[in-house]
Amino acid sequence: MSEARRAILARIRAQLARPPSAEEAARHDVAARLARTAPVLIPARAQLEGEARIALFCEKARTLGCAIERLPDLGALSGAVLAALRRHNLPLELVRAADPLLDAAALEAEPLLSVRIGVPEESDAVGLTVALAGVAETGTIMLASSRARPTLLAFLPETSLVVLPCAWIKGSYEEAWAMLRALPGWPPRSVNLVTGPSRTGDIPPSIELGAHGPKRLILFLIDRIG
Amino acid sequence: MEPLSLAFRERAARALHDPVLATAMQRLERGWQAARARAAADLPEFEALRDAAVAIKDHVLANLDLYLEEFERRFTAAGGVIHWARDAAEARAIILDICRRAKARTVTKSKSMVAEEIGLNAYLEAQGLRVIETDLGEYIIQLAGDVPSHLVGPAVHMTRERIAELFAKAHGGPPKQDSAALVAEARQVLRQRYLEADVGITGANFLIAETGSIVTVTNEGNAELTQGLPKVHIALTGIEKIVPTVAEAFVFLRLLARSATGQEFSAYTTFLTGPKREDERDGPQEMHLVLLDNGRSRMLGGPFREMLRCIRCGACMNHCPVYLAAGGHAYGWVYVGPMGSVLTPHFVGIDKSWPLPNASTFCGRCEEVCPVRIPLPKLMRLWREEAHKRGLAPPAARVGLTLWAFFARRPALYRLATRLAMAALGALGRRRGRFSRLPFASGWTVSREFPAPQGPTFTAQWRAARGAKG
């Protein structure tokens, strides 16, 4: 290992001056700490169940500028997507994740909608992907990268469409993370906690949306999947 | 960046007469200060989270060597390449070398105060690289050839009109009138830069030992495009940014945005673990992390260890009467406000920055709002003592302080002297009842009159009253 690494670690140890007798206890302590995945403190606000939890999620996300549409099942998705694109005068084309949920939604069967699967390009105006969880506490969605779900789908296009099954909405970040941990391939390369559309306050006096990431974030909550 | 902190007095005096700055500082006070108070009040667990955050940081700092090793093991296992840098020069050289090996011409950057600390932009540009800041505030500063004046809002001192002029000059076309049009223009221009970039450089708000992940937090989404589009991602951060687990990171994430801007959560919080996986279709092919010491390890051994808890939220400056009057540029280096007054002497030397720890009324608001409860006034006082020991303050101040200390340590003499002085002042000012000029007190009399003392001193009155009672 590098000389700089050795020097920095030596400086740290010299400053900490941990006695040799305490070394083993410290290592044990650190190992125990790293093995402990239990939440430290979950605010009471996040400890909700069922509809109340979904309601808090929607309230928080709407306050931040998200549009939310609640759909009974995946069969209703293509119609809702089409209507949303029309409402915002957007081209009726999008690039989407290869996620099985979106396969099941049969968007390609909608004749007016042009759908491509893959990574978005600069010219793509609309991206559609699937969130792995929602967090009611702050109206946050949790995205995770994979072969099927390129990260850029929710960052490059100006309009970001995200599908989220209602059952995947949790109260806190910690519960959402626990869901993710249970999936194969954990930890994914990139996990994005997205809370509202991209925003900036750098040019006074107002907060503007769409600084670099999406200007528009439309969430489709699905009541029943599969 | 050459520190200009010795000129704090002159720079602050100039700033006090700048109406544009006054408006900007009012925006901070009415906006972020009020928003933080609301956000803290809206979360009953806020104080408990602060306590938890302090305990986590203290535990990590006490075992920093072990946590760095654990983090390194997992970061490396995920495919990342770690680079240790003892100082600014080493960090710059490492980053240049990675850029050269990637045959980079264009580098995009999302906001990193550590990059400011090591003067990265100027260095890379001098080596022929094109460096583009993508955080809107940093981009504006870069166009203006300016330096940040706030941790979170680097361009907080700029007006919309000035930004419109800068954009018109850099992008062509007439100056835009409203912020929406300006943001749209920047979006369009920077979009091209993201796509052209060969290397993307970000900071890291947290390093998670449990997973070997780095965490970035932005509102604009620029960090994700900066690291997600080029083939090489370099993250740069200080060795103190470690938290043990993801669960513990959430303690800090619940505090960070609330303390900074009063938001409940920033728009984008991203956990990155290694480069693009073999089967993935996007993501950088290489992920590097430059871990910078630059004097941080030196702070571990003494009372300044507590400063290493800092999560760079900016709450201390948003609530500092001195910062809100003088603005960030008066501080003369990268870190400003109360946290800057404690950190700058560590990085540039107290001999080049002794006025900063003196630029405080010790009102204590910084410590009150600091999410990790850093005793900033205490640490500034320690620097004052150090500066005094080294004889850095001007002779008049030192002689005055020594004289005062002589009397203050001898209470009887002190009482006698104040009684005589007050009696003399009272006699001199009996006719008008006030002074419009006094020797050694021009700081007061330049803008208001000094009332002539009447009757005995406070101590004398207190004694008399107590004596009467007893």
Side-chain angles (χ1 to χ4, degrees), chain B residues 49-94:
Chain B
L49 284 165
R50 288 174 72 186
D51 293 336
V54 172
I56 295 166
K57 277 280 179 183
D58 284 349
H59 166 76
V60 170
L61 292 171
N63 298 284
L64 189 59
D65 52 336
L66 306 178
Y67 275 110
L68 282 165
E69 286 173 347
E70 293 287 346
F71 171 81
E72 179 184 41
R73 187 173 314 141
R74 291 171 178 83
F75 181 83
T76 309
V81 183
I82 210 158
H83 308 263
W84 301 70
R86 274 168 285 198
D87 53 32
E90 233 170 54
R92 289 190 300 252
I94 290 165

mmCIF file of all heavy atoms in Angstrom, chain B residues 49-94:
data_model
loop_
_atom_site.group_PDB
_atom_site.id
_atom_site.type_symbol
_atom_site.label_atom_id
_atom_site.label_comp_id
_atom_site.label_asym_id
_atom_site.label_seq_id
_atom_site.Cartn_x
_atom_site.Cartn_y
_atom_site.Cartn_z
ATOM 1 N N LEU B 49 -31.958 13.520 17.507
ATOM 2 C CA LEU B 49 -31.113 13.180 16.351
ATOM 3 C C LEU B 49 -29.756 13.874 16.461
ATOM 4 O O LEU B 49 -28.716 13.296 16.132
ATOM 5 C CB LEU B 49 -31.806 13.589 15.048
ATOM 6 C CG LEU B 49 -32.945 12.669 14.596
ATOM 7 C CD1 LEU B 49 -33.785 13.354 13.514
ATOM 8 C CD2 LEU B 49 -32.409 11.342 14.063
ATOM 9 N N ARG B 50 -29.765 15.123 16.940
ATOM 10 C CA ARG B 50 -28.499 15.842 17.116
ATOM 11 C C ARG B 50 -27.612 15.098 18.117
ATOM 12 O O ARG B 50 -26.414 14.926 17.877
ATOM 13 C CB ARG B 50 -28.757 17.274 17.596
ATOM 14 C CG ARG B 50 -29.347 18.168 16.524
ATOM 15 C CD ARG B 50 -29.729 19.534 17.084
ATOM 16 N NE ARG B 50 -28.560 20.356 17.398
ATOM 17 C CZ ARG B 50 -28.638 21.547 18.012
ATOM 18 N NH1 ARG B 50 -29.816 22.029 18.384
ATOM 19 N NH2 ARG B 50 -27.553 22.247 18.255
ATOM 20 N N ASP B 51 -28.206 14.673 19.212
ATOM 21 C CA ASP B 51 -27.414 13.937 20.212
ATOM 22 C C ASP B 51 -26.845 12.645 19.621
ATOM 23 O O ASP B 51 -25.685 12.304 19.843
ATOM 24 C CB ASP B 51 -28.286 13.605 21.431
ATOM 25 C CG ASP B 51 -28.687 14.858 22.200
ATOM 26 O OD1 ASP B 51 -27.962 15.863 22.099
ATOM 27 O OD2 ASP B 51 -29.735 14.835 22.880
ATOM 28 N N ALA B 52 -27.695 11.945 18.859
ATOM 29 C CA ALA B 52 -27.245 10.690 18.246
ATOM 30 C C ALA B 52 -26.097 10.965 17.279
ATOM 31 O O ALA B 52 -25.103 10.228 17.235
ATOM 32 C CB ALA B 52 -28.403 10.012 17.525
ATOM 33 N N ALA B 53 -26.209 12.061 16.519
ATOM 34 C CA ALA B 53 -25.177 12.401 15.533
ATOM 35 C C ALA B 53 -23.844 12.682 16.222
ATOM 36 O O ALA B 53 -22.786 12.239 15.772
ATOM 37 C CB ALA B 53 -25.616 13.609 14.707
ATOM 38 N N VAL B 54 -23.897 13.404 17.332
ATOM 39 C CA VAL B 54 -22.672 13.716 18.083
ATOM 40 C C VAL B 54 -22.013 12.415 18.546
ATOM 41 O O VAL B 54 -20.810 12.212 18.370
ATOM 42 C CB VAL B 54 -22.987 14.615 19.305
ATOM 43 C CG1 VAL B 54 -21.755 14.772 20.187
ATOM 44 C CG2 VAL B 54 -23.494 15.980 18.846
ATOM 45 N N ALA B 55 -22.833 11.515 19.089
ATOM 46 C CA ALA B 55 -22.289 10.261 19.615
ATOM 47 C C ALA B 55 -21.661 9.423 18.496
ATOM 48 O O ALA B 55 -20.590 8.841 18.679
ATOM 49 C CB ALA B 55 -23.391 9.478 20.320
ATOM 50 N N ILE B 56 -22.326 9.378 17.343
ATOM 51 C CA ILE B 56 -21.790 8.590 16.220
ATOM 52 C C ILE B 56 -20.443 9.158 15.770
ATOM 53 O O ILE B 56 -19.451 8.442 15.616
ATOM 54 C CB ILE B 56 -22.774 8.565 15.037
ATOM 55 C CG1 ILE B 56 -24.068 7.831 15.429
ATOM 56 C CG2 ILE B 56 -22.138 7.912 13.811
ATOM 57 C CD1 ILE B 56 -25.214 8.037 14.451
ATOM 58 N N LYS B 57 -20.400 10.478 15.563
ATOM 59 C CA LYS B 57 -19.156 11.101 15.094
ATOM 60 C C LYS B 57 -18.025 10.917 16.108
ATOM 61 O O LYS B 57 -16.889 10.628 15.734
ATOM 62 C CB LYS B 57 -19.383 12.593 14.830
ATOM 63 C CG LYS B 57 -19.986 12.893 13.465
ATOM 64 C CD LYS B 57 -18.916 12.860 12.374
ATOM 65 C CE LYS B 57 -19.553 13.140 11.016
ATOM 66 N NZ LYS B 57 -18.582 13.049 9.916
ATOM 67 N N ASP B 58 -18.350 11.083 17.377
ATOM 68 C CA ASP B 58 -17.305 10.939 18.399
ATOM 69 C C ASP B 58 -16.741 9.517 18.401
ATOM 70 O O ASP B 58 -15.535 9.317 18.531
ATOM 71 C CB ASP B 58 -17.857 11.308 19.783
ATOM 72 C CG ASP B 58 -17.988 12.822 19.952
ATOM 73 O OD1 ASP B 58 -17.461 13.557 19.088
ATOM 74 O OD2 ASP B 58 -18.608 13.264 20.933
ATOM 75 N N HIS B 59 -17.648 8.557 18.239
ATOM 76 C CA HIS B 59 -17.201 7.158 18.186
ATOM 77 C C HIS B 59 -16.309 6.917 16.962
ATOM 78 O O HIS B 59 -15.259 6.272 17.070
ATOM 79 C CB HIS B 59 -18.424 6.230 18.169
ATOM 80 C CG HIS B 59 -18.116 4.827 17.780
ATOM 81 N ND1 HIS B 59 -17.502 3.937 18.646
ATOM 82 C CD2 HIS B 59 -18.295 4.156 16.614
ATOM 83 C CE1 HIS B 59 -17.333 2.785 18.026
ATOM 84 N NE2 HIS B 59 -17.812 2.880 16.790
ATOM 85 N N VAL B 60 -16.726 7.440 15.815
ATOM 86 C CA VAL B 60 -15.926 7.237 14.594
ATOM 87 C C VAL B 60 -14.565 7.899 14.732
ATOM 88 O O VAL B 60 -13.528 7.295 14.418
ATOM 89 C CB VAL B 60 -16.660 7.797 13.350
ATOM 90 C CG1 VAL B 60 -15.732 7.802 12.145
ATOM 91 C CG2 VAL B 60 -17.902 6.976 13.053
ATOM 92 N N LEU B 61 -14.539 9.128 15.229
ATOM 93 C CA LEU B 61 -13.271 9.855 15.322
ATOM 94 C C LEU B 61 -12.312 9.158 16.293
ATOM 95 O O LEU B 61 -11.107 9.123 16.050
ATOM 96 C CB LEU B 61 -13.514 11.303 15.739
ATOM 97 C CG LEU B 61 -14.237 12.149 14.671
ATOM 98 C CD1 LEU B 61 -14.639 13.506 15.233
ATOM 99 C CD2 LEU B 61 -13.378 12.320 13.414
ATOM 100 N N ALA B 62 -12.863 8.562 17.349
ATOM 101 C CA ALA B 62 -12.017 7.860 18.317
ATOM 102 C C ALA B 62 -11.442 6.570 17.729
ATOM 103 O O ALA B 62 -10.500 6.001 18.268
ATOM 104 C CB ALA B 62 -12.812 7.559 19.585
ATOM 105 N N ASN B 63 -12.051 6.097 16.621
ATOM 106 C CA ASN B 63 -11.583 4.846 15.987
ATOM 107 C C ASN B 63 -11.336 5.066 14.494
ATOM 108 O O ASN B 63 -11.547 4.168 13.681
ATOM 109 C CB ASN B 63 -12.641 3.750 16.165
ATOM 110 C CG ASN B 63 -12.880 3.424 17.626
ATOM 111 O OD1 ASN B 63 -12.087 2.749 18.251
ATOM 112 N ND2 ASN B 63 -13.967 3.937 18.176
ATOM 113 N N LEU B 64 -10.932 6.284 14.149
ATOM 114 C CA LEU B 64 -10.887 6.672 12.736
ATOM 115 C C LEU B 64 -10.001 5.756 11.897
ATOM 116 O O LEU B 64 -10.345 5.397 10.774
ATOM 117 C CB LEU B 64 -10.427 8.131 12.601
ATOM 118 C CG LEU B 64 -10.545 8.718 11.200
ATOM 119 C CD1 LEU B 64 -11.984 8.660 10.704
ATOM 120 C CD2 LEU B 64 -10.050 10.158 11.161
ATOM 121 N N ASP B 65 -8.848 5.348 12.443
ATOM 122 C CA ASP B 65 -7.945 4.475 11.683
ATOM 123 C C ASP B 65 -8.643 3.172 11.316
ATOM 124 O O ASP B 65 -8.567 2.688 10.180
ATOM 125 C CB ASP B 65 -6.664 4.208 12.484
ATOM 126 C CG ASP B 65 -6.944 3.709 13.905
ATOM 127 O OD1 ASP B 65 -8.044 3.991 14.424
ATOM 128 O OD2 ASP B 65 -6.072 3.034 14.481
ATOM 129 N N LEU B 66 -9.371 2.605 12.288
ATOM 130 C CA LEU B 66 -10.040 1.320 12.053
ATOM 131 C C LEU B 66 -11.164 1.469 11.029
ATOM 132 O O LEU B 66 -11.328 0.628 10.137
ATOM 133 C CB LEU B 66 -10.591 0.758 13.368
ATOM 134 C CG LEU B 66 -9.563 0.621 14.505
ATOM 135 C CD1 LEU B 66 -10.227 0.115 15.768
ATOM 136 C CD2 LEU B 66 -8.439 -0.323 14.077
ATOM 137 N N TYR B 67 -11.928 2.547 11.153
ATOM 138 C CA TYR B 67 -13.030 2.745 10.210
ATOM 139 C C TYR B 67 -12.525 3.006 8.784
ATOM 140 O O TYR B 67 -13.130 2.573 7.808
ATOM 141 C CB TYR B 67 -13.951 3.873 10.681
ATOM 142 C CG TYR B 67 -14.979 3.367 11.667
ATOM 143 C CD1 TYR B 67 -14.937 3.719 13.007
ATOM 144 C CD2 TYR B 67 -15.977 2.495 11.253
ATOM 145 C CE1 TYR B 67 -15.866 3.224 13.913
ATOM 146 C CE2 TYR B 67 -16.912 1.987 12.140
ATOM 147 C CZ TYR B 67 -16.854 2.348 13.468
ATOM 148 O OH TYR B 67 -17.772 1.845 14.339
ATOM 149 N N LEU B 68 -11.414 3.735 8.678
ATOM 150 C CA LEU B 68 -10.863 3.991 7.342
ATOM 151 C C LEU B 68 -10.447 2.675 6.682
ATOM 152 O O LEU B 68 -10.680 2.454 5.500
ATOM 153 C CB LEU B 68 -9.688 4.959 7.423
ATOM 154 C CG LEU B 68 -10.085 6.438 7.598
ATOM 155 C CD1 LEU B 68 -8.883 7.274 8.023
ATOM 156 C CD2 LEU B 68 -10.687 6.996 6.314
ATOM 157 N N GLU B 69 -9.848 1.794 7.484
ATOM 158 C CA GLU B 69 -9.433 0.492 6.935
ATOM 159 C C GLU B 69 -10.642 -0.343 6.503
ATOM 160 O O GLU B 69 -10.631 -0.978 5.451
ATOM 161 C CB GLU B 69 -8.614 -0.276 7.979
ATOM 162 C CG GLU B 69 -7.208 0.281 8.146
ATOM 163 C CD GLU B 69 -6.446 -0.375 9.307
ATOM 164 O OE1 GLU B 69 -7.072 -1.081 10.128
ATOM 165 O OE2 GLU B 69 -5.236 -0.173 9.382
ATOM 166 N N GLU B 70 -11.677 -0.328 7.348
ATOM 167 C CA GLU B 70 -12.885 -1.094 7.009
ATOM 168 C C GLU B 70 -13.533 -0.534 5.749
ATOM 169 O O GLU B 70 -13.962 -1.268 4.852
ATOM 170 C CB GLU B 70 -13.902 -1.035 8.166
ATOM 171 C CG GLU B 70 -13.455 -1.737 9.434
ATOM 172 C CD GLU B 70 -13.497 -3.259 9.310
ATOM 173 O OE1 GLU B 70 -14.117 -3.758 8.357
ATOM 174 O OE2 GLU B 70 -12.905 -3.941 10.169
ATOM 175 N N PHE B 71 -13.614 0.800 5.687
ATOM 176 C CA PHE B 71 -14.199 1.430 4.505
ATOM 177 C C PHE B 71 -13.402 1.069 3.260
ATOM 178 O O PHE B 71 -13.949 0.676 2.228
ATOM 179 C CB PHE B 71 -14.239 2.955 4.666
ATOM 180 C CG PHE B 71 -14.639 3.649 3.392
ATOM 181 C CD1 PHE B 71 -15.970 3.750 3.039
ATOM 182 C CD2 PHE B 71 -13.675 4.152 2.515
ATOM 183 C CE1 PHE B 71 -16.342 4.337 1.841
ATOM 184 C CE2 PHE B 71 -14.045 4.736 1.319
ATOM 185 C CZ PHE B 71 -15.379 4.826 0.977
ATOM 186 N N GLU B 72 -12.094 1.177 3.384
ATOM 187 C CA GLU B 72 -11.219 0.908 2.239
ATOM 188 C C GLU B 72 -11.418 -0.514 1.712
ATOM 189 O O GLU B 72 -11.512 -0.732 0.495
ATOM 190 C CB GLU B 72 -9.762 1.114 2.644
ATOM 191 C CG GLU B 72 -8.773 0.831 1.513
ATOM 192 C CD GLU B 72 -7.334 0.939 1.975
ATOM 193 O OE1 GLU B 72 -7.030 0.468 3.099
ATOM 194 O OE2 GLU B 72 -6.519 1.499 1.232
ATOM 195 N N ARG B 73 -11.510 -1.466 2.644
ATOM 196 C CA ARG B 73 -11.657 -2.859 2.240
ATOM 197 C C ARG B 73 -12.906 -3.045 1.378
ATOM 198 O O ARG B 73 -12.873 -3.644 0.314
ATOM 199 C CB ARG B 73 -11.731 -3.740 3.496
ATOM 200 C CG ARG B 73 -11.716 -5.226 3.193
ATOM 201 C CD ARG B 73 -11.620 -6.035 4.487
ATOM 202 N NE ARG B 73 -10.583 -5.492 5.372
ATOM 203 C CZ ARG B 73 -10.700 -5.410 6.690
ATOM 204 N NH1 ARG B 73 -11.798 -5.815 7.287
ATOM 205 N NH2 ARG B 73 -9.719 -4.918 7.411
ATOM 206 N N ARG B 74 -14.018 -2.474 1.824
ATOM 207 C CA ARG B 74 -15.279 -2.672 1.102
ATOM 208 C C ARG B 74 -15.360 -1.840 -0.167
ATOM 209 O O ARG B 74 -15.906 -2.276 -1.169
ATOM 210 C CB ARG B 74 -16.451 -2.379 2.027
ATOM 211 C CG ARG B 74 -16.571 -3.433 3.122
ATOM 212 C CD ARG B 74 -17.586 -3.007 4.154
ATOM 213 N NE ARG B 74 -17.775 -4.008 5.188
ATOM 214 C CZ ARG B 74 -16.987 -4.149 6.246
ATOM 215 N NH1 ARG B 74 -15.934 -3.370 6.392
ATOM 216 N NH2 ARG B 74 -17.225 -5.076 7.145
ATOM 217 N N PHE B 75 -14.825 -0.631 -0.100
ATOM 218 C CA PHE B 75 -14.820 0.227 -1.292
ATOM 219 C C PHE B 75 -14.017 -0.445 -2.404
ATOM 220 O O PHE B 75 -14.420 -0.477 -3.565
ATOM 221 C CB PHE B 75 -14.205 1.586 -0.933
ATOM 222 C CG PHE B 75 -14.160 2.567 -2.073
ATOM 223 C CD1 PHE B 75 -15.273 3.341 -2.384
ATOM 224 C CD2 PHE B 75 -13.006 2.731 -2.836
ATOM 225 C CE1 PHE B 75 -15.242 4.257 -3.433
ATOM 226 C CE2 PHE B 75 -12.964 3.643 -3.885
ATOM 227 C CZ PHE B 75 -14.084 4.401 -4.181
ATOM 228 N N THR B 76 -12.887 -1.012 -2.020
ATOM 229 C CA THR B 76 -12.021 -1.683 -2.989
ATOM 230 C C THR B 76 -12.676 -2.962 -3.515
ATOM 231 O O THR B 76 -12.613 -3.265 -4.712
ATOM 232 C CB THR B 76 -10.657 -2.008 -2.342
ATOM 233 O OG1 THR B 76 -10.159 -0.819 -1.742
ATOM 234 C CG2 THR B 76 -9.656 -2.495 -3.358
ATOM 235 N N ALA B 77 -13.326 -3.701 -2.612
ATOM 236 C CA ALA B 77 -14.000 -4.942 -3.027
ATOM 237 C C ALA B 77 -15.095 -4.642 -4.052
ATOM 238 O O ALA B 77 -15.380 -5.459 -4.935
ATOM 239 C CB ALA B 77 -14.592 -5.638 -1.806
ATOM 240 N N ALA B 78 -15.710 -3.470 -3.951
ATOM 241 C CA ALA B 78 -16.774 -3.098 -4.893
ATOM 242 C C ALA B 78 -16.203 -2.621 -6.226
ATOM 243 O O ALA B 78 -16.956 -2.327 -7.152
ATOM 244 C CB ALA B 78 -17.654 -2.016 -4.279
ATOM 245 N N GLY B 79 -14.876 -2.531 -6.324
ATOM 246 C CA GLY B 79 -14.258 -2.160 -7.599
ATOM 247 C C GLY B 79 -13.746 -0.732 -7.659
ATOM 248 O O GLY B 79 -13.281 -0.275 -8.697
ATOM 249 N N GLY B 80 -13.833 -0.019 -6.550
ATOM 250 C CA GLY B 80 -13.331 1.352 -6.513
ATOM 251 C C GLY B 80 -11.827 1.382 -6.281
ATOM 252 O O GLY B 80 -11.262 0.412 -5.783
ATOM 253 N N VAL B 81 -11.183 2.477 -6.666
ATOM 254 C CA VAL B 81 -9.745 2.645 -6.436
ATOM 255 C C VAL B 81 -9.574 3.794 -5.456
ATOM 256 O O VAL B 81 -10.074 4.894 -5.679
ATOM 257 C CB VAL B 81 -9.001 2.974 -7.745
ATOM 258 C CG1 VAL B 81 -7.500 3.064 -7.482
ATOM 259 C CG2 VAL B 81 -9.317 1.940 -8.819
ATOM 260 N N ILE B 82 -8.880 3.509 -4.359
ATOM 261 C CA ILE B 82 -8.721 4.530 -3.322
ATOM 262 C C ILE B 82 -7.332 5.152 -3.402
ATOM 263 O O ILE B 82 -6.355 4.464 -3.696
ATOM 264 C CB ILE B 82 -9.004 3.905 -1.936
ATOM 265 C CG1 ILE B 82 -9.560 4.938 -0.984
ATOM 266 C CG2 ILE B 82 -7.808 3.238 -1.364
ATOM 267 C CD1 ILE B 82 -10.341 4.321 0.162
ATOM 268 N N HIS B 83 -7.252 6.471 -3.210
ATOM 269 C CA HIS B 83 -5.975 7.186 -3.240
ATOM 270 C C HIS B 83 -5.888 8.024 -1.976
ATOM 271 O O HIS B 83 -6.795 8.793 -1.687
ATOM 272 C CB HIS B 83 -5.898 8.123 -4.442
ATOM 273 C CG HIS B 83 -6.219 7.474 -5.760
ATOM 274 N ND1 HIS B 83 -5.254 7.004 -6.610
ATOM 275 C CD2 HIS B 83 -7.405 7.207 -6.352
ATOM 276 C CE1 HIS B 83 -5.836 6.475 -7.693
ATOM 277 N NE2 HIS B 83 -7.145 6.594 -7.553
ATOM 278 N N TRP B 84 -4.809 7.860 -1.220
ATOM 279 C CA TRP B 84 -4.635 8.624 0.011
ATOM 280 C C TRP B 84 -3.759 9.830 -0.298
ATOM 281 O O TRP B 84 -2.724 9.690 -0.950
ATOM 282 C CB TRP B 84 -3.980 7.773 1.092
ATOM 283 C CG TRP B 84 -4.741 6.530 1.445
ATOM 284 C CD1 TRP B 84 -4.910 5.426 0.659
ATOM 285 C CD2 TRP B 84 -5.439 6.264 2.660
ATOM 286 N NE1 TRP B 84 -5.671 4.490 1.321
ATOM 287 C CE2 TRP B 84 -6.006 4.975 2.560
ATOM 288 C CE3 TRP B 84 -5.635 6.987 3.844
ATOM 289 C CZ2 TRP B 84 -6.752 4.398 3.580
ATOM 290 C CZ3 TRP B 84 -6.369 6.404 4.860
ATOM 291 C CH2 TRP B 84 -6.930 5.126 4.727
ATOM 292 N N ALA B 85 -4.166 10.998 0.189
ATOM 293 C CA ALA B 85 -3.389 12.211 -0.071
ATOM 294 C C ALA B 85 -3.088 12.902 1.243
ATOM 295 O O ALA B 85 -3.996 13.244 1.993
ATOM 296 C CB ALA B 85 -4.155 13.143 -0.999
ATOM 297 N N ARG B 86 -1.778 13.094 1.517
ATOM 298 C CA ARG B 86 -1.388 13.726 2.772
ATOM 299 C C ARG B 86 -1.730 15.209 2.787
ATOM 300 O O ARG B 86 -2.062 15.766 3.808
ATOM 301 C CB ARG B 86 0.127 13.573 2.993
ATOM 302 C CG ARG B 86 0.503 12.279 3.658
ATOM 303 C CD ARG B 86 1.983 12.036 3.592
ATOM 304 N NE ARG B 86 2.378 11.625 2.252
ATOM 305 C CZ ARG B 86 3.529 11.013 1.957
ATOM 306 N NH1 ARG B 86 4.405 10.790 2.909
ATOM 307 N NH2 ARG B 86 3.803 10.652 0.735
ATOM 308 N N ASP B 87 -1.585 15.839 1.611
ATOM 309 C CA ASP B 87 -1.826 17.288 1.574
ATOM 310 C C ASP B 87 -2.432 17.687 0.234
ATOM 311 O O ASP B 87 -2.661 16.839 -0.634
ATOM 312 C CB ASP B 87 -0.525 18.048 1.841
ATOM 313 C CG ASP B 87 0.583 17.596 0.899
ATOM 314 O OD1 ASP B 87 0.268 17.217 -0.248
ATOM 315 O OD2 ASP B 87 1.760 17.598 1.312
ATOM 316 N N ALA B 88 -2.655 18.993 0.081
ATOM 317 C CA ALA B 88 -3.323 19.507 -1.111
ATOM 318 C C ALA B 88 -2.542 19.164 -2.382
ATOM 319 O O ALA B 88 -3.111 18.728 -3.383
ATOM 320 C CB ALA B 88 -3.498 21.022 -0.985
ATOM 321 N N ALA B 89 -1.229 19.339 -2.334
ATOM 322 C CA ALA B 89 -0.408 19.110 -3.531
ATOM 323 C C ALA B 89 -0.520 17.653 -3.976
ATOM 324 O O ALA B 89 -0.639 17.353 -5.174
ATOM 325 C CB ALA B 89 1.043 19.480 -3.239
ATOM 326 N N GLU B 90 -0.499 16.735 -3.005
ATOM 327 C CA GLU B 90 -0.599 15.322 -3.340
ATOM 328 C C GLU B 90 -1.954 15.001 -3.973
ATOM 329 O O GLU B 90 -2.040 14.267 -4.962
ATOM 330 C CB GLU B 90 -0.413 14.483 -2.062
ATOM 331 C CG GLU B 90 0.651 13.421 -2.214
ATOM 332 C CD GLU B 90 1.009 12.765 -0.876
ATOM 333 O OE1 GLU B 90 0.102 12.268 -0.186
ATOM 334 O OE2 GLU B 90 2.202 12.767 -0.556
ATOM 335 N N ALA B 91 -3.027 15.582 -3.410
ATOM 336 C CA ALA B 91 -4.369 15.337 -3.938
ATOM 337 C C ALA B 91 -4.492 15.854 -5.372
ATOM 338 O O ALA B 91 -5.033 15.180 -6.259
ATOM 339 C CB ALA B 91 -5.410 16.008 -3.043
ATOM 340 N N ARG B 92 -3.952 17.042 -5.622
ATOM 341 C CA ARG B 92 -4.017 17.622 -6.970
ATOM 342 C C ARG B 92 -3.263 16.754 -7.968
ATOM 343 O O ARG B 92 -3.741 16.493 -9.077
ATOM 344 C CB ARG B 92 -3.408 19.043 -6.964
ATOM 345 C CG ARG B 92 -4.253 20.069 -6.253
ATOM 346 C CD ARG B 92 -3.697 21.478 -6.505
ATOM 347 N NE ARG B 92 -2.323 21.626 -6.016
ATOM 348 C CZ ARG B 92 -1.987 22.334 -4.931
ATOM 349 N NH1 ARG B 92 -2.919 22.954 -4.235
ATOM 350 N NH2 ARG B 92 -0.731 22.431 -4.549
ATOM 351 N N ALA B 93 -2.091 16.289 -7.557
ATOM 352 C CA ALA B 93 -1.265 15.470 -8.455
ATOM 353 C C ALA B 93 -1.969 14.154 -8.780
ATOM 354 O O ALA B 93 -1.943 13.685 -9.928
ATOM 355 C CB ALA B 93 0.100 15.221 -7.822
ATOM 356 N N ILE B 94 -2.609 13.558 -7.785
ATOM 357 C CA ILE B 94 -3.324 12.293 -8.001
ATOM 358 C C ILE B 94 -4.447 12.497 -9.017
ATOM 359 O O ILE B 94 -4.618 11.723 -9.965
ATOM 360 C CB ILE B 94 -3.916 11.771 -6.660
ATOM 361 C CG1 ILE B 94 -2.799 11.299 -5.727
ATOM 362 C CG2 ILE B 94 -4.924 10.653 -6.913
ATOM 363 C CD1 ILE B 94 -3.242 11.115 -4.278
#
